[in-house]
Amino acid sequence: MQALHTAATGMAAQELNVQVISNNIANLRTTGFKKQTASFQDLIYEHVRRVGAQASDQGTILPVGVDIGGGVKTVGTPRSMTQGTLSQTGNDLDLALSGEGFFKILMPDGSYQYTRDGTFQMDNQGRVVTAQGNPVQPTMTIPNNASGLAVSEQGQVSVTLPGSSTSTIVGQLGVTRFINKAGLQPVGNNQFTETPSSGAPQDGTANSEGYGKITQGSLEQANVDVVSEMSDLIAAQRAYEMNAKVISAADQMMQSTTALFR
Amino acid sequence: MQNALLIGLSRQMTLERQMDVIANNVANANTNGFKADHSLFEEFLNSNAREDNFIASDRRVSYVQDRGTFRDTGPGPMEMTKNPLDMAITGDAYFAVQANGGERYTRDGKFSLNSTGQLVTSDGNLVLGTGGPITFQPTDHDINVAPDGTITVLEGTAKTDSIRGKIRMVSFDDPARLTKLGANLYAAGSATQQAATKSTVQQGYVEKSNVNSVGEMSRMVEVMRSYTAIANLLQQQSDMHKSAIEKLADVPA
C-alpha cells in the first residue's frame, strides 16, 4: 500500500524539521547566529487518470484526473539572514554589524572565512583576533601602550598613544558581502566559507553602499525568535504524529485483508 | 453471489487509493504552498454482468471507481518570515518559473538568489518576471516588493529606487486542469492562462500548506472503518458460501 511509504517520507521530513528547529533553539544565545528553516516539496505524482484525457467514446474530456502523490522531500534548509538585535557589552573590541556584510577572518591555512560574530580580542602581538585566535582582515596591530581604542561606524580603528592628545588611526576593518549570503557554507565557530552558490566575496567599507554599519561595544544576537521556534516545534511534532497515525491506519487496513478467509 | 465479492473489492481498491491521497496530504502538511487533494468517486455500471442462469438476468452490477482527485485551491495560512525574498500570493494566482521542460507554476514563494544574482526557487529554477528572469546587482540592498509585484532596490550609494523587475503572476480560468508535477510545481496542460489582476504579492511571508489536519484525520478514520467493514462483509460472504457448500455436500448416511 502506497500510503505506508508516503507517511514514512512525512515522518522522515518532520524528523529533519525537528532537528533544524532544535539547532536554532540550541543557538538562541550564539552571537551572530542565523536561523535555518527546513523547506519541503511534494514528490512526483502517479497520474492514474490524466486530467484532460478523453473520457468516453463521445469525446468528453476528463475535467479532473486521479493524481496520487508519493509524499514529501526536503529541498533545503535555507538560512534566514535577517538582522539580529544588538546588545551592548561595553567591551571596546566587541563589534556588531547592522546591515549587509560579514567580517573577514584569515585562517591558518591562508583561506578566508566570514562571520557576523564580532567578539574580537587582542593576541600577544597586539593583533585583533577572533575567539579562536585568527586575525581579522585587514590585519591590524594595536600598540600595547595605546589607550582609548575607538572603532568608527565605517570600521576605522583609532587609538590614543601616550604623550599625544589626538588619536592615531591604526587600521581599517573591512566588510565583505555576497550576492547570495544564504548560499554560504557554515563551518562552525559562527563562521562561513564561500561556495559556488554564494557568489564571489566583495570587499567594501562599512556604512557605505549598503554595507552594514559597525557598532562598537555591542554584539549581534542570534536572530532566533523563541516563540515562533516553539510553535514550529509543536507543529512539527503534531505532523509527525499524524504521519504515524496514517501508518497505523494503513497497517490496520492491510491487516483486515490478510485476516480474510482464514 | 460472486458479484458481492467483486463490488466489495472495487470499493476496497478505491478506499486504498483514497488512503494514499490522504497520506500524501498529511506528509505535505508542512510543505510551502501545497494544495490538498481529495478523492471523488462514481458509480461504474458493468454492462457485462448478464448471467442467464440467474433470475434477475438484466440487472447491471454497480461498482465504484474513483473518478478523480480534486484539488482544494483555497489559500494556506501565511507565515511571516521577514526574509525580503520570501513572497506569498494573496488571491488565486501562481508564480511563473522557468523549469526543466518549460514554464511551470508554483505557490511556493520561498525564493533566494543564485550566485549570479538571479531570483530562483529552492530548486534553483528561475522565477520569471514580466520581462523574463529577475537579476540583482551585487551592490543592491533594501529590496522591496510592492503588492503588484514590482521589485525595487537601492543600488550602491544611490538614494533613489531602481526597478529590478516585476513578478509575473499568472491565473488560470480552470485551475483544476493544472497538473501537479511534484517539487511544488504545476504544469499548465490544457488550462488557459491569463494575467492575474486581483492577486497581490506579500513580501516577507510564505504561504504554508492548506492541508486541514483535523479533516484529514477524520477522513482517514472513515476510510479505515469502511475498509474494515467491507473486509467483514467479504468474510461473511465467504462464510455463507462455505456453509452452503457444507450443507449441500452433507450426504446423510
Side-chain angles (χ1 to χ4, degrees):
Chain A
M1 197 183 270
Q2 174 70 41
L4 275 175
H5 304 286
T6 309
T9 67
M11 285 179 84
Q14 295 313 325
E15 219 173 283
L16 185 127
N17 202 4
V18 170
Q19 246 173 55
V20 171
I21 294 167
S22 65
N23 186 49
N24 288 344
I25 294 176
N27 285 293
L28 197 61
R29 288 274 164 265
T30 304
T31 310
F33 177 79
K34 299 295 175 197
K35 71 167 208 167
Q36 289 172 286
T37 27
S39 201
F40 304 106
Q41 284 183 347
D42 45 359
L43 281 172
I44 51 161
Y45 285 77
E46 182 198 347
H47 302 290
V48 180
R49 289 176 93 189
R50 202 171 271 278
V51 62
Q54 197 166 319
S56 66
D57 299 339
Q58 284 81 45
T60 49
I61 301 290
L62 279 181
V64 283
V66 179
D67 302 324
I68 308 287
V72 63
K73 68 170 179 228
T74 314
V75 65
T77 54
R79 209 168 270 278
S80 166
M81 285 292 186
T82 55
Q83 177 74 38
T85 50
L86 301 192
S87 75
Q88 276 199 334
T89 62
N91 289 338
D92 284 347
L93 277 176
D94 281 350
L95 306 178
L97 272 172
S98 34
E100 299 279 321
F102 295 84
F103 295 112
K104 193 176 188 176
I105 312 294
L106 177 67
M107 299 310 286
D109 64 356
S111 66
Y112 293 111
Q113 289 187 2
Y114 304 90
T115 186
R116 294 279 292 187
D117 175 7
T119 324
F120 299 136
Q121 271 113 38
M122 251 184 281
D123 68 359
N124 54 4
Q125 301 154 38
R127 289 184 309 172
V128 178
V129 294
T130 62
Q132 286 81 39
N134 298 313
V136 179
Q137 293 299 295
T139 313
M140 69 188 70
T141 310
I142 314 274
N144 58 5
N145 53 359
S147 61
L149 180 92
V151 182
S152 76
E153 290 183 347
Q154 282 83 26
Q156 209 170 61
V157 185
S158 54
V159 292
T160 312
L161 293 168
S164 164
S165 57
T166 54
S167 57
T168 316
I169 295 166
V170 290
Q172 168 77 44
L173 279 170
V175 182
T176 306
R177 274 174 70 171
F178 295 88
I179 188 140
N180 177 23
K181 54 196 169 179
L184 291 168
Q185 173 94 51
V187 287
N189 291 338
N190 293 350
Q191 279 163 220
F192 299 92
T193 54
E194 174 195 345
T195 67
S197 149
S198 69
Q202 299 145 31
D203 297 333
T205 315
N207 206 17
S208 71
E209 296 181 39
Y211 283 91
K213 181 175 91 175
I214 293 176
T215 310
Q216 190 185 13
S218 294
L219 289 175
E220 185 188 7
Q221 299 296 300
N223 68 348
V224 180
D225 173 15
V226 72
V227 180
S228 75
E229 294 301 326
M230 288 316 286
S231 66
D232 284 355
L233 184 65
I234 293 167
Q237 191 191 356
R238 293 287 171 242
Y240 188 82
E241 279 176 19
M242 281 198 294
N243 281 294
K245 290 252 158 57
V246 172
I247 288 191
S248 83
D251 176 45
Q252 276 189 47
M253 281 164 69
M254 276 166 50
Q255 213 175 12
S256 71
T257 306
T258 47
L260 277 180
F261 315 123
R262 58 195 173 264
Chain B
M1 198 134 75
Q2 295 294 343
N3 284 337
L5 284 180
L6 293 173
I7 294 165
L9 267 177
S10 81
R11 178 69 179 137
Q12 277 194 315
M13 278 163 71
T14 60
L15 284 171
E16 228 180 89
R17 231 172 249 167
Q18 193 181 2
M19 191 67 185
D20 293 344
V21 172
I22 292 170
N24 189 49
N25 289 344
V26 171
N28 285 292
N30 259 336
T31 304
N32 293 335
F34 180 81
K35 301 291 172 203
D37 289 315
H38 300 294
S39 304
L40 292 171
F41 301 108
E42 71 183 359
E43 189 182 33
F44 175 70
L45 290 173
N46 189 351
S47 50
N48 299 324
R50 185 179 290 274
E51 261 295 354
D52 290 341
N53 293 342
F54 290 113
I55 305 157
S57 60
D58 55 347
R59 276 174 69 185
R60 299 166 91 187
V61 178
S62 157
Y63 295 97
V64 62
Q65 71 169 4
D66 36 359
R67 180 162 67 89
T69 48
F70 77 95
R71 195 154 46 241
D72 175 4
T73 50
M78 298 284 176
E79 189 190 49
M80 188 170 80
T81 63
K82 292 182 193 160
N83 279 340
L85 294 177
D86 286 351
M87 299 172 209
I89 290 184
T90 316
D92 60 359
Y94 294 80
F95 295 110
V97 301
Q98 189 182 309
N100 231 346
E103 195 172 292
R104 299 285 182 255
Y105 307 94
T106 185
R107 292 278 291 188
D108 173 10
K110 191 130 194 88
F111 299 143
S112 54
L113 297 181
N114 64 14
S115 57
T116 50
Q118 288 167 314
L119 191 67
V120 291
T121 65
S122 311
D123 270 346
N125 294 322
L126 293 176
V127 179
L128 295 174
T130 47
I134 295 159
T135 312
F136 291 90
Q137 301 303 316
T139 53
D140 287 354
H141 54 101
D142 290 295
I143 298 166
N144 184 49
V145 184
D148 71 345
T150 308
I151 301 176
T152 54
V153 295
L154 287 178
E155 185 178 352
T157 49
K159 291 276 179 281
T160 49
D161 289 345
S162 318
I163 293 177
R164 285 286 169 265
K166 187 176 177 187
I167 292 285
R168 201 172 121 219
M169 284 181 283
V170 181
S171 67
F172 295 90
D173 54 345
D174 186 7
R177 287 202 179 186
L178 291 174
T179 318
K180 275 186 174 184
L181 295 176
N184 293 351
L185 296 178
Y186 295 91
S190 57
T192 37
Q193 57 158 286
Q194 58 218 25
T197 46
K198 287 184 190 136
S199 299
T200 55
V201 181
Q202 309 288 320
Q203 188 185 17
Y205 286 84
V206 165
E207 182 182 2
K208 305 295 285 179
S209 166
N210 76 343
V211 172
N212 170 1
S213 40
V214 178
E216 296 300 338
M217 283 294 110
S218 59
R219 257 191 295 277
M220 183 189 87
V221 172
E222 208 181 296
V223 167
M224 191 180 77
R225 298 280 175 241
S226 322
Y227 192 91
T228 351
I230 293 163
N232 286 339
L233 184 100
L234 296 184
Q235 182 66 56
Q236 282 162 17
Q237 283 284 324
S238 153
D239 288 350
M240 264 168 69
H241 269 250
K242 203 166 138 192
S243 71
I245 292 165
E246 271 169 12
K247 276 187 184 145
L248 289 171
D250 192 17
V251 186

